[in-house]
Amino acid sequence: MPKGELQWIIPDGYIPPDSSGRLESHESICVLNLNREDVMVTVNAFFEDREPLLGMEATVPGQRTKHIRTASLQAEGRFIPKGVPYAMEVVSSGPVYVQYSRLDSTQAENALMSVMAYPVKA
């Protein structure tokens, strides 16, 4: 029996524009694929004041986890901009689990946030 869901929503995305100290500010989506087959994950980004950025893809091997830094995602040479609020839809070719994490090191007092994405039940 396949484990996980095919669609996940992350309403609060934000790549901090600055870093201080040795840690780089970043955010990641962590995808866990418990199934034997590889899955293709497609990330779609939605913004307050601009058109969506659709079709950013990554492969997650079977029975593996992959931490995908959102700043590394691209579609047609376009990237998610730093310092701009956005939301994400994560769609996969097979069932997976998705977690979202953000490290904000813009100040000496680092902030780390990690939450499960919202699964959309098929």
Short mmCIF file of all heavy atoms in Angstrom, two decimals, residues 81-115:
data_model
loop_
_atom_site.label_atom_id
_atom_site.label_comp_id
_atom_site.label_asym_id
_atom_site.label_seq_id
_atom_site.Cartn_x
_atom_site.Cartn_y
_atom_site.Cartn_z
N PRO A 81 12.45 34.58 -5.78
CA PRO A 81 13.27 35.70 -5.28
C PRO A 81 13.39 35.68 -3.75
O PRO A 81 12.47 35.28 -3.04
CB PRO A 81 12.51 36.94 -5.74
CG PRO A 81 11.11 36.48 -5.94
CD PRO A 81 11.16 35.02 -6.30
N LYS A 82 14.54 36.13 -3.26
CA LYS A 82 14.76 36.28 -1.82
C LYS A 82 14.00 37.50 -1.33
O LYS A 82 13.83 38.48 -2.06
CB LYS A 82 16.24 36.43 -1.51
CG LYS A 82 17.04 35.19 -1.78
CD LYS A 82 18.49 35.39 -1.41
CE LYS A 82 19.28 34.10 -1.63
NZ LYS A 82 20.68 34.25 -1.21
N GLY A 83 13.54 37.45 -0.08
CA GLY A 83 12.90 38.59 0.54
C GLY A 83 11.49 38.89 0.05
O GLY A 83 10.99 39.98 0.30
N VAL A 84 10.87 37.93 -0.62
CA VAL A 84 9.52 38.12 -1.15
C VAL A 84 8.60 37.02 -0.60
O VAL A 84 8.89 35.84 -0.78
CB VAL A 84 9.52 38.06 -2.70
CG1 VAL A 84 8.12 38.12 -3.26
CG2 VAL A 84 10.38 39.17 -3.28
N PRO A 85 7.51 37.39 0.08
CA PRO A 85 6.58 36.37 0.58
C PRO A 85 5.93 35.61 -0.58
O PRO A 85 5.62 36.19 -1.62
CB PRO A 85 5.52 37.17 1.34
CG PRO A 85 6.10 38.52 1.55
CD PRO A 85 7.07 38.74 0.44
N TYR A 86 5.72 34.33 -0.37
CA TYR A 86 5.05 33.51 -1.39
C TYR A 86 4.48 32.26 -0.74
O TYR A 86 4.67 32.02 0.46
CB TYR A 86 6.03 33.16 -2.53
CG TYR A 86 7.10 32.18 -2.14
CD1 TYR A 86 6.99 30.84 -2.50
CD2 TYR A 86 8.23 32.57 -1.43
CE1 TYR A 86 7.98 29.93 -2.14
CE2 TYR A 86 9.21 31.68 -1.07
CZ TYR A 86 9.08 30.36 -1.44
OH TYR A 86 10.05 29.46 -1.09
N ALA A 87 3.77 31.47 -1.51
CA ALA A 87 3.22 30.19 -1.05
C ALA A 87 3.62 29.12 -2.06
O ALA A 87 3.94 29.43 -3.21
CB ALA A 87 1.70 30.27 -0.93
N MET A 88 3.60 27.86 -1.61
CA MET A 88 3.98 26.75 -2.49
C MET A 88 2.92 25.67 -2.55
O MET A 88 2.28 25.36 -1.54
CB MET A 88 5.27 26.10 -1.99
CG MET A 88 6.52 26.85 -2.28
SD MET A 88 7.98 25.97 -1.63
CE MET A 88 7.97 26.56 0.06
N GLU A 89 2.81 25.10 -3.73
CA GLU A 89 2.09 23.85 -3.92
C GLU A 89 3.14 22.82 -4.33
O GLU A 89 3.94 23.08 -5.23
CB GLU A 89 1.05 24.00 -5.03
CG GLU A 89 0.37 22.68 -5.38
CD GLU A 89 -0.44 22.77 -6.66
OE1 GLU A 89 0.01 23.43 -7.62
OE2 GLU A 89 -1.51 22.14 -6.70
N VAL A 90 3.14 21.68 -3.66
CA VAL A 90 4.06 20.59 -4.00
C VAL A 90 3.21 19.43 -4.50
O VAL A 90 2.34 18.94 -3.79
CB VAL A 90 4.89 20.16 -2.77
CG1 VAL A 90 5.83 19.01 -3.14
CG2 VAL A 90 5.67 21.34 -2.20
N VAL A 91 3.46 19.03 -5.74
CA VAL A 91 2.71 17.93 -6.37
C VAL A 91 3.71 16.85 -6.74
O VAL A 91 4.77 17.15 -7.31
CB VAL A 91 1.96 18.42 -7.63
CG1 VAL A 91 1.19 17.29 -8.27
CG2 VAL A 91 1.03 19.58 -7.29
N SER A 92 3.41 15.60 -6.42
CA SER A 92 4.35 14.53 -6.73
C SER A 92 3.68 13.45 -7.58
O SER A 92 2.47 13.27 -7.55
CB SER A 92 4.91 13.92 -5.44
OG SER A 92 3.88 13.39 -4.66
N SER A 93 4.52 12.74 -8.31
CA SER A 93 4.03 11.68 -9.19
C SER A 93 3.65 10.42 -8.41
O SER A 93 3.02 9.52 -8.96
CB SER A 93 5.08 11.34 -10.25
OG SER A 93 6.27 10.87 -9.63
N GLY A 94 4.03 10.36 -7.15
CA GLY A 94 3.68 9.26 -6.26
C GLY A 94 3.54 9.81 -4.86
O GLY A 94 3.99 10.92 -4.57
N PRO A 95 2.93 9.05 -3.95
CA PRO A 95 2.70 9.54 -2.59
C PRO A 95 4.01 9.82 -1.84
O PRO A 95 4.94 9.01 -1.89
CB PRO A 95 1.92 8.42 -1.92
CG PRO A 95 1.50 7.50 -3.00
CD PRO A 95 2.39 7.71 -4.16
N VAL A 96 4.05 10.96 -1.15
CA VAL A 96 5.20 11.36 -0.33
C VAL A 96 4.71 12.11 0.90
O VAL A 96 3.52 12.40 1.03
CB VAL A 96 6.18 12.27 -1.13
CG1 VAL A 96 6.81 11.54 -2.29
CG2 VAL A 96 5.48 13.55 -1.60
N TYR A 97 5.66 12.44 1.79
CA TYR A 97 5.42 13.31 2.94
C TYR A 97 6.29 14.54 2.76
O TYR A 97 7.43 14.43 2.31
CB TYR A 97 5.76 12.60 4.25
CG TYR A 97 4.85 11.43 4.53
CD1 TYR A 97 5.21 10.15 4.12
CD2 TYR A 97 3.64 11.62 5.17
CE1 TYR A 97 4.37 9.08 4.36
CE2 TYR A 97 2.79 10.54 5.41
CZ TYR A 97 3.16 9.28 5.00
OH TYR A 97 2.33 8.23 5.23
N VAL A 98 5.75 15.72 3.13
CA VAL A 98 6.47 16.98 2.92
C VAL A 98 6.52 17.79 4.21
O VAL A 98 5.49 17.99 4.86
CB VAL A 98 5.82 17.82 1.79
CG1 VAL A 98 6.53 19.15 1.63
CG2 VAL A 98 5.81 17.05 0.48
N GLN A 99 7.72 18.24 4.56
CA GLN A 99 7.94 19.12 5.70
C GLN A 99 8.62 20.38 5.19
O GLN A 99 9.40 20.34 4.23
CB GLN A 99 8.85 18.42 6.72
CG GLN A 99 9.17 19.26 7.92
CD GLN A 99 10.09 18.52 8.90
OE1 GLN A 99 10.27 17.31 8.80
NE2 GLN A 99 10.67 19.25 9.81
N TYR A 100 8.34 21.52 5.83
CA TYR A 100 8.91 22.80 5.45
C TYR A 100 9.75 23.34 6.59
O TYR A 100 9.33 23.30 7.75
CB TYR A 100 7.78 23.78 5.12
CG TYR A 100 8.24 25.21 4.94
CD1 TYR A 100 8.83 25.62 3.75
CD2 TYR A 100 8.10 26.14 5.96
CE1 TYR A 100 9.26 26.92 3.59
CE2 TYR A 100 8.52 27.44 5.80
CZ TYR A 100 9.10 27.82 4.61
OH TYR A 100 9.53 29.12 4.45
N SER A 101 10.95 23.85 6.28
CA SER A 101 11.83 24.42 7.30
C SER A 101 12.43 25.73 6.80
O SER A 101 12.73 25.86 5.61
CB SER A 101 12.97 23.47 7.64
OG SER A 101 12.48 22.26 8.15
N ARG A 102 12.61 26.68 7.73
CA ARG A 102 13.26 27.96 7.40
C ARG A 102 14.26 28.29 8.51
O ARG A 102 13.92 28.25 9.69
CB ARG A 102 12.25 29.08 7.29
CG ARG A 102 12.89 30.43 6.96
CD ARG A 102 11.90 31.60 7.02
NE ARG A 102 10.71 31.35 6.25
CZ ARG A 102 9.50 31.83 6.55
NH1 ARG A 102 9.32 32.58 7.62
NH2 ARG A 102 8.46 31.56 5.81
N LEU A 103 15.48 28.62 8.10
CA LEU A 103 16.49 29.14 9.02
C LEU A 103 16.70 30.60 8.67
O LEU A 103 17.09 30.93 7.55
CB LEU A 103 17.81 28.38 8.89
CG LEU A 103 18.97 28.99 9.69
CD1 LEU A 103 18.69 28.91 11.19
CD2 LEU A 103 20.28 28.33 9.35
N ASP A 104 16.41 31.47 9.63
CA ASP A 104 16.59 32.90 9.44
C ASP A 104 17.76 33.34 10.31
O ASP A 104 17.66 33.39 11.53
CB ASP A 104 15.32 33.65 9.84
CG ASP A 104 15.39 35.13 9.53
OD1 ASP A 104 16.51 35.66 9.35
OD2 ASP A 104 14.32 35.76 9.49
N SER A 105 18.89 33.63 9.67
CA SER A 105 20.08 34.07 10.40
C SER A 105 20.40 35.53 10.09
O SER A 105 21.55 35.94 10.09
CB SER A 105 21.27 33.17 10.09
OG SER A 105 21.67 33.33 8.73
N THR A 106 19.36 36.32 9.80
CA THR A 106 19.59 37.74 9.50
C THR A 106 20.09 38.49 10.73
O THR A 106 20.68 39.55 10.60
CB THR A 106 18.31 38.41 8.96
OG1 THR A 106 17.24 38.21 9.88
CG2 THR A 106 17.92 37.83 7.62
N GLN A 107 19.83 37.96 11.92
CA GLN A 107 20.33 38.54 13.17
C GLN A 107 21.21 37.51 13.87
O GLN A 107 21.17 36.33 13.53
CB GLN A 107 19.15 38.90 14.09
CG GLN A 107 18.17 39.88 13.48
CD GLN A 107 17.01 40.13 14.42
OE1 GLN A 107 17.20 40.27 15.62
NE2 GLN A 107 15.82 40.18 13.87
N ALA A 108 21.94 37.97 14.86
CA ALA A 108 22.80 37.04 15.62
C ALA A 108 21.97 35.97 16.32
O ALA A 108 22.41 34.84 16.48
CB ALA A 108 23.62 37.82 16.64
N GLU A 109 20.73 36.31 16.70
CA GLU A 109 19.82 35.34 17.32
C GLU A 109 19.09 34.61 16.19
O GLU A 109 18.12 35.13 15.64
CB GLU A 109 18.82 36.04 18.24
CG GLU A 109 19.44 36.78 19.40
CD GLU A 109 20.03 38.14 19.01
OE1 GLU A 109 19.66 38.67 17.94
OE2 GLU A 109 20.87 38.64 19.74
N ASN A 110 19.55 33.44 15.83
CA ASN A 110 18.95 32.69 14.72
C ASN A 110 17.54 32.23 15.05
O ASN A 110 17.22 31.96 16.21
CB ASN A 110 19.80 31.45 14.39
CG ASN A 110 21.16 31.84 13.89
OD1 ASN A 110 21.30 32.77 13.11
ND2 ASN A 110 22.17 31.12 14.33
N ALA A 111 16.71 32.12 14.03
CA ALA A 111 15.36 31.59 14.19
C ALA A 111 15.21 30.40 13.25
O ALA A 111 15.54 30.48 12.07
CB ALA A 111 14.32 32.66 13.87
N LEU A 112 14.71 29.30 13.79
CA LEU A 112 14.46 28.10 12.99
C LEU A 112 13.00 27.72 13.13
O LEU A 112 12.48 27.65 14.24
CB LEU A 112 15.34 26.93 13.46
CG LEU A 112 15.14 25.61 12.72
CD1 LEU A 112 15.54 25.74 11.25
CD2 LEU A 112 15.91 24.50 13.39
N MET A 113 12.35 27.52 12.00
CA MET A 113 10.94 27.12 11.98
C MET A 113 10.84 25.86 11.13
O MET A 113 11.44 25.77 10.07
CB MET A 113 10.09 28.22 11.37
CG MET A 113 8.64 27.82 11.19
SD MET A 113 7.65 29.10 10.39
CE MET A 113 8.10 28.90 8.68
N SER A 114 10.05 24.89 11.60
CA SER A 114 9.83 23.68 10.83
C SER A 114 8.41 23.19 11.09
O SER A 114 8.01 23.07 12.25
CB SER A 114 10.85 22.61 11.23
OG SER A 114 10.74 21.50 10.38
N VAL A 115 7.67 22.94 10.02
CA VAL A 115 6.29 22.49 10.14
C VAL A 115 6.00 21.47 9.04
O VAL A 115 6.65 21.45 8.00
CB VAL A 115 5.27 23.65 10.02
CG1 VAL A 115 5.45 24.65 11.15
CG2 VAL A 115 5.40 24.35 8.68
#
